[in-house]
Amino acid sequence: MTSGTIRFRAVALGLVLGLGVCAVTPLNNLYLGATPLGGGHFPLAPFFLLAWLTVLAAGLGRLFRGRSLLTGTDLLVCWMLMVVVSGVAHTGLARTFFISLTAPLHFATEGNQWNAVFGPLLPAGWYPVDPEAVETLYNGLAGGYTMPWGQVLATIPWGVWIGPLSTWAVFIGLCYFVLLCLTNLFSRQWISNERMNFPLLRLPETLTGAVDDGGLSSFFTDRFLLCGLFFSVLLHTINGIAFYDPSVPQIPTLILAGPYFPKTGLFSGFTKLKIYFYPAFIGFAYLTARQISLSFWFFFILGGFVYGVFDLIGQHIPAAALGVTFGPTLTSPEETQMIGAYGVFFLFLLWLARQHLYDTARDALRFRFHRPDEAEWVGAPASLWGLVLGGGALVAWSVSFGMPLGQAVLLLGAFFMVMLVASRIICQGGIAYFTLTAAPTDGLLAFFGTGIFSRLGLLMAAVMQKMLFVDLRESLLPSLFHAAKVGEKKGPKKLYLAAIVLAIAAAVAVSFLAMLAVCHKYGLRDLQVDWETQTVTTVYENVQRLIEAPAGSNSAVIGFTVAGAVVMFALIVAYQQFYWWPIHPLGFLTMYSSSMRILWFSFFIGWLCNHLTLRYGGIVLMKRVRLLFIGLILGDFLMGGVFALIGLWTGQSYLVLPN
């Protein structure tokens, strides 16, 4: 990462554009149903804006004879601020937030008995209590379709919403504060000590670096980059035209391979196999360390054979053996290996950072606050104290609403443990689209049963988890680690940190305002929120099942959890002890992730190209060909932005990237 000065103009532009993305996201994604502006950890809208800002900055530089208004560092910082906030307005927070707050009241019926089950348990201050205001959220204001936006905002019954929003604002603010401290605590270890690769930053760094070096023209005219760019543009131009005009033949980018495999025997685990072709993700895979990209597709294939082996030996473990779970994609007991694997890998991360954490804890106990490392925003001892105080405040917040102290500590610890491990997978693995297999509460319930939680504690745990800690496709922590890497060797640190904090706080406020405005103008019923509604109501239905029929520990899940822990420990030992060992432990963590069902083939192609160029052309050819794969990413995201604009005009969008 090159050094540079972070200027106020970069911060201001990043804030304005990032908040603009937050403001239009609910309307674009949920009402218009257009191409998502964010999505994943390399979001579309921020990069599309970065690409055109880069061209504009280069053009202005030539116009003013070398005096550019925006440097490469300015552009990179501006993009990073947009990335940090873009997820808040959608899956990162706001997408299901208001449905979660209103579901117990709106979806309660005589049949499901939610009023009787949840009524006595709902924490005071968490939920709106006016049924009329809740129905207005779902049905929209009378005449809302024709109201100007200012009138819609003025007509919202703010008296009903200000209480719950204030309550949850404290929880969200404390969680984000802990995530900031967690980032700062581990950034020196990951960035300075381990020199970890961040594949998702390679394209923005290369693009903005060309601006500072005065080589943007040579960058865009490089024959390798043009080949990759042309391939992506041609593919999506043909398929985009075919989307709007079915008479035009389409180039298939999805192959349903499952029907070619038998439903019984060794290959029975591949009956739902799909082969997706996404040039951008092939590019990211090429930029990822070969050991990691190999591990991703290898373990995905191995996971299919695990199902087949169980079928072959006649060990059919029904899905019902899982019991009630909250994992977003958890479908079979075998997949609960990830619970143990996540726990062991978290301990591995602590072990890698043991010297850094020891030094930090020693300095923190002695109140020795030193200057920050080049990858830190503030000194690590200060962030450790912040982590302790922020975590303590979150525990106090939970206890104040009725959750017992021990349950609160255990639950929040599980939340942040899973979040840290997932961030490592995303940042080091270059996975722009990532989903969890098992939820944090699944492990606790499997080992201890529902008895570990009180009835109120179980409800609180499920709702808190749904808010921030189960759907990590646009979670904040990976973006914060990327921001720490972008800020390496750059200053002033205080300006950069202040910009990030202000951007996050403003993004939450703008996202809530935008979401409430869209809901009251059109009504939640008329928005495209079927998935959102289904996942939220499933959470409450699962809580109801566990309240009405408490469950003990689950021996099947415990067995697979222990097996996952043993396998992960063996992988870590082999990875650490044998220099020739080709498999990285990260791959095992994505074995059953739904994201790998989409991306496994991209990682296979990216790994294969990386391996062949290095083997037959050496490091020189591998670095040279890298621009071809950067061109694939650039082409996909530029075409994604173009079709997003076309979709706003036509009312339907051709999706270049996974939704």
Side-chain angles (χ1 to χ4, degrees), residues 95-259:
R95 185 175 185 176
T96 59
F97 179 81
F98 288 99
I99 301 176
S100 295
L101 290 194
T102 55
L105 187 60
H106 179 73
F107 294 106
T109 65
E110 289 294 328
N112 61 29
Q113 296 292 304
W114 279 13
N115 284 329
V117 175
F118 295 135
L121 299 178
L122 297 179
W126 274 31
Y127 299 91
V129 294
D130 186 346
E132 184 177 346
V134 171
E135 289 307 305
T136 301
L137 184 78
Y138 281 82
N139 298 324
L141 294 165
Y145 269 77
T146 59
M147 283 186 186
W149 289 104
Q151 186 178 353
V152 171
L153 287 171
T155 313
I156 293 173
W158 290 107
V160 175
W161 291 105
I162 199 68
L165 289 179
S166 299
T167 298
W168 282 104
V170 175
F171 173 77
I172 294 165
L174 288 173
C175 285
Y176 285 171
F177 175 73
V178 170
L179 293 180
L180 281 165
C181 294
L182 205 58
T183 303
N184 196 73
L185 181 62
F186 280 89
S187 59
R188 180 194 293 186
Q189 173 63 26
W190 290 11
I191 298 171
S192 299
N193 296 346
E194 297 182 39
R195 308 307 301 173
M196 194 174 87
N197 180 34
F198 288 79
L200 297 180
L201 296 181
R202 294 287 81 82
L203 172 55
E205 288 176 353
T206 304
L207 186 62
T208 56
V211 174
D212 283 340
D213 296 338
L216 195 63
S217 297
S218 60
F219 172 77
F220 279 116
T221 55
D222 183 274
R223 66 179 185 273
F224 284 102
L225 183 127
L226 288 176
C227 286
L229 183 65
F230 177 76
F231 180 86
S232 291
V233 170
L234 180 64
L235 171 68
H236 295 301
T237 298
I238 294 172
N239 285 354
I241 294 173
F243 175 81
Y244 293 106
D245 183 2
S247 65
V248 176
Q250 190 177 46
I251 301 174
T253 56
L254 169 61
I255 299 174
L256 301 178

Side-chain angles (χ1 to χ4, degrees), residues 24 30 81 114 166 226 243 253 281 311 350 378 413 420 457 471 492 578 590:
V24 301
L30 300 181
L81 290 175
W114 279 13
S166 299
L226 288 176
F243 175 81
T253 56
F281 293 102
D311 183 78
L350 296 183
V378 296
L420 184 68
D471 193 338
F578 307 119
T590 65

Side-chain angles (χ1 to χ4, degrees), residues 380-398:
S383 60
L384 181 58
W385 276 116
L387 184 64
V388 172
L389 295 176
L394 272 174
V395 170
W397 184 89
S398 303

Side-chain angles (χ1 to χ4, degrees), residues 251-276:
I251 301 174
T253 56
L254 169 61
I255 299 174
L256 301 178
Y260 298 99
F261 292 93
K263 294 183 179 180
T264 59
L266 184 61
F267 296 97
S268 59
F270 299 102
T271 55
K272 296 182 180 179
L273 183 69
K274 298 178 181 179
I275 298 175
Y276 291 88

